Amino acid sequence: MKTVVAIFDAAEQLEDAVNRLATARLDAAVVDENSLAQEPGSVDPVVPAVVPGAAAEVIAGRDAPNLIARRDKNALDRAFRARLDEDYGFPDDVIDAYATSFAHNGRFVLVRADDKDADRAVEMLRASGASRVNKHD
């Protein structure tokens, strides 16, 4: 069994890839900030952050700073690394390389398939605009 890993920069390309793979009945998983935040049992990595220079607003009769949601990058990195380790068994050096792309907003599609289907998946992922596609044993 092989694992094909594709990295996408744009959500539209990722969606196209997932649709192609689904049509071909290939088992694919999307790993990005949103998917990691929504996994059962995960700690919600969205935490409030004070907007610098923002004026306080009156909320329910009290002054409070303007808050926006900010992803906890460290929690996301840990969740990403754990997913690649536990679910796919990648070695640390491979995980480290992928974590760098993930930290720069990379969106990942991972496909588990036999040799023939893995080659088909590589072709589909490249046709969808993946910035990088790798096949792992």
Side-chain angles (χ1 to χ4, degrees):
M1 198 63 115
K2 305 263 186 212
T3 301
V4 178
V5 179
I7 303 170
F8 291 88
D9 298 322
E12 299 81 22
Q13 294 171 326
L14 181 135
E15 186 176 333
D16 179 56
V18 169
N19 289 335
R20 288 175 189 241
L21 294 165
T23 299
R25 300 187 189 278
L26 294 174
D27 180 32
V30 174
V31 181
D32 62 4
E33 284 188 10
N34 292 329
S35 69
L36 291 173
Q38 295 172 10
E39 286 185 356
S42 68
V43 175
D44 185 4
V46 179
V47 295
V50 176
V51 178
E57 290 181 358
V58 176
I59 300 175
R62 64 174 199 254
D63 289 337
N66 290 332
L67 300 175
I68 60 170
R70 177 180 59 85
R71 299 276 184 197
D72 181 346
K73 294 293 184 182
N74 290 330
L76 287 170
D77 180 68
R78 286 189 302 274
F80 177 78
R81 289 171 181 275
R83 178 88 184 266
L84 294 186
D85 179 33
E86 295 166 9
D87 292 355
Y88 296 93
F90 290 139
D92 289 341
D93 60 330
V94 171
I95 293 172
D96 289 344
Y98 287 142
T100 300
S101 293
F102 179 77
H104 291 95
N105 298 318
R107 296 166 176 93
F108 288 73
V109 173
L110 293 99
V111 180
R112 288 188 183 151
D114 61 25
D115 288 336
K116 180 182 172 187
D117 286 340
D119 291 337
R120 288 180 41 223
V122 167
E123 291 174 18
M124 287 182 225
L125 294 164
R126 287 185 177 144
S128 296
S131 60
R132 188 168 59 173
V133 180
N134 296 315
K135 193 167 31 170
H136 300 273
D137 289 321

